[in-house]
Each structure stands twice: as structure tokens, then as C-alpha cells.
Amino acid sequence: MDDGFKSGKGIGLSTESFTIVEVELLKKVLEFKFGLKVTIQIRNTSDGTLGYRLYISSKSRDKLLSLVKYYFITAMNYKLSL
């Protein structure tokens, strides 16, 4: 719950501590198993290395919310705009 954020109309997942291979695997699982539209964004981390962040498209936002909203604690609902 804590490593995600709103990004425009989509949702970002802070996966910078994972390798590109791990992030690509997670992307494939989210697309195949849950039908989400996901992209990988490359960014510089605070220590100057490259990090890989997942971005879930605004087109998949409602589907993602329907999958996760029942597991969120009330204090984190602001991350989902609930």
C-alpha cells in the first residue's frame, strides 16, 4: 500500500529496488493474470543509479481499484482517491 502513488490519472508502483528482470516479470504477471495495461519507466534514483518503476495506465485504473480496494486499510485510501 505504501509503495504506490497517483501519477496523473494512472498509478505508479515504486519498484526501483528490483532488477529490470524482476520488474519485467511483475509487468507480465499484471498484464497476463489481471489484464492491466502496464509500462516500465526508467528513472535515476537518489544514489545516481537507474531504477525501474511500473506505471499502470489510467485505462486500467478502475480494474486495479476493483482488485485491491477491499485489502486497503482506511488510512491508505487517499492513495486510491477513495
Side-chain angles (χ1 to χ4, degrees), residues 56-71:
I56 300 169
S57 168
S58 60
K59 294 176 183 176
S60 294
R61 184 180 178 281
D62 289 341
K63 186 169 194 165
L64 176 67
L65 293 181
S66 72
L67 292 168
V68 302
K69 68 181 176 182
Y70 298 106
Y71 301 101

Side-chain angles (χ1 to χ4, degrees), residues 1-46:
M1 283 178 240
D2 191 39
D3 286 341
F5 55 93
K6 291 185 287 185
S7 180
K9 293 184 179 182
I11 296 173
L13 300 177
S14 300
T15 53
E16 290 90 345
S17 63
F18 296 101
T19 67
I20 185 63
V21 172
E22 293 167 329
V23 174
E24 287 172 343
L25 175 62
L26 181 55
K27 176 184 182 287
K28 287 178 186 176
V29 170
L30 292 171
E31 290 174 333
F32 179 75
K33 185 165 177 110
F34 300 106
L36 302 175
K37 178 154 175 47
V38 183
T39 57
I40 297 174
Q41 298 176 338
I42 301 171
R43 63 184 298 270
N44 290 317
T45 61
S46 58

